[in-house]
């Protein structure tokens, strides 16, 4: 039976939440910026104090026990309340640590303007930026490893709230001299039979492009085994004549300056995406995230 006088520390709770999220001690330790022995000791102290096994660890896998699953939401709520307390103590809801997740097709184009503005507006804030694919960012939000994430909407995730930021069109990027270069008013059917290069699986831009093709009954041509993990790599493959691709408007200036590339644009309503902030519905920081959303809107890439 748990000793009711036992008081877990925030470090112990953070260790438990991170391990439960990543199911890997090394990854959890790296995310918390602690050594793996320190992480293991924090979990052991928590389990000893509670007299409960929260995490089951073997040489091959890490599992959350039934007791761990029962207590995990409360651990997350406790950490969120502590973070809110610290933010209030420094006199600014956006003071202290802010763990911001952001998808790879947004981060390089938004952060150069947003981070300096956040430092100017909220000097007490210490932003921690985690760039990752949508599914892993949502997992991080659910587990409490992240506070808020900048994603393409809708997130279609229960228990989350969303603040829409803005919408942007997709632009067709082409190798120099392509017959569609400079065209406007294109129909999605113009993609028929074109070798359409996509990001690797797990990227939401890949899913959005495929959804567009399905919705408009577009059948792109083959691209062989070409695969890319970043938007920059996809665009450079286009410059090298391997195909064409769709990129968001915010990326056009930066990416098309890196090689012999041209663009074409779709007729209204053009395909595109809506970006927004996503965070847990249980948080007490909705007003803070509204302020964050305002900063991101004002620093929208043009």
């Amino acid at each position: 039976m748990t000793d009711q006088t036992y008081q877990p520390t925030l470090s112990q709770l953070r260790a438990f939440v991170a391990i439960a999220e990543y199911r890997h001690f090394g990854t959890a330790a790296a995310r918390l910026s602690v050594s793996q022995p320190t992480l293991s000791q924090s979990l052991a102290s928590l389990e000893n104090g509670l007299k409960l096994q929260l995490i089951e660890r073997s040489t091959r896998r890490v599992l959350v026990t039934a007791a761990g699953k029962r207590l995990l939401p409360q651990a997350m709520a406790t950490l969120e309340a502590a973070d809110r307390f610290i933010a209030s103590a420094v006199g600014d809801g956006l003071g202290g640590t802010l763990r911001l997740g952001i998808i790879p097709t947004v981060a390089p184009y938004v952060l150069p303007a947003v981070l300096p503005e956040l430092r100017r507006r909220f000097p007490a804030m210490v932003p921690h930026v985690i760039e990752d694919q949508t599914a892993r960012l949502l997992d991080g939000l659910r587990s409490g490893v992240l506070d808020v994430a900048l994603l393409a909407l809708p997130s279609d995730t229960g228990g989350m709230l969303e603040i829409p930021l803005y919408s942007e069109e997709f632009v067709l990027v082409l190798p120099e001299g392509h017959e569609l270069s400079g065209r406007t008013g294109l129909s999605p059917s113009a993609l028929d039979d074109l070798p359409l290069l996509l990001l690797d699986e797990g990227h939401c831009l890949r899913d959005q492009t495929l959804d567009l093709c399905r919705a408009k009954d577009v059948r792109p041509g083959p691209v062989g085994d070409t695969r890319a993990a970043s938007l920059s790599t996809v665009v450079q493959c286009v410059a090298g004549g391997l195909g064409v691709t769709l990129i968001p408007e915010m990326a056009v200036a930066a990416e098309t300056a890196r090689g012999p590339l041209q663009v074409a644009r779709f007729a209204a309503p053009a395909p595109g995406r809506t970006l927004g902030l996503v965070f847990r519905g249980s948080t007490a920081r909705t007003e803070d995230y509204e302020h964050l959303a305002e900063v991101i809107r004002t620093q929208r890439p043009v």
Side-chain angles (χ1 to χ4, degrees), residues 146-160:
L146 294 177
D147 298 312
V148 61
L150 176 50
L151 308 171
L153 302 182
S155 64
D156 294 326
T157 302
M160 298 291 166

Side-chain angles (χ1 to χ4, degrees), residues 167-245:
S167 298
E168 60 175 350
E169 297 180 357
F170 292 153
V171 176
L172 181 61
V173 179
L174 306 154
E176 192 172 40
H178 195 281
E179 62 181 357
L180 295 180
S181 295
R183 293 272 299 276
T184 59
L186 291 180
S187 165
S189 63
L191 298 174
D192 265 336
D193 298 322
L194 292 182
L196 184 61
L197 297 170
L198 301 173
L199 284 169
D200 208 352
E201 291 184 6
H203 291 274
C204 60
L205 182 58
R206 173 191 176 91
D207 297 335
Q208 291 155 0
T209 302
L210 292 175
D211 287 345
L212 167 66
C213 292
R214 283 190 288 267
K216 302 298 183 181
D217 196 26
V218 172
R219 301 180 184 278
V223 294
D225 294 327
T226 299
R227 298 172 60 184
S230 75
L231 206 54
S232 294
T233 301
V234 172
V235 171
Q236 289 309 303
C237 288
V238 174
L242 301 185
V244 305
T245 196

Side-chain angles (χ1 to χ4, degrees), residues 75-86:
M76 292 166 54
T78 300
L79 292 174
E80 186 146 338
D83 290 342
R84 178 65 179 175
F85 174 79
I86 294 170

Side-chain angles (χ1 to χ4, degrees), residues 106 110 150 164-168 250 273-276 296-297 299-301:
V106 172
V110 166
L150 176 50
L165 296 171
Y166 49 80
S167 298
E168 60 175 350
M250 68 167 60
R273 67 181 181 181
T274 298
L275 299 177
I296 297 174
R297 288 192 194 100
Q299 300 302 311
R300 176 179 179 174

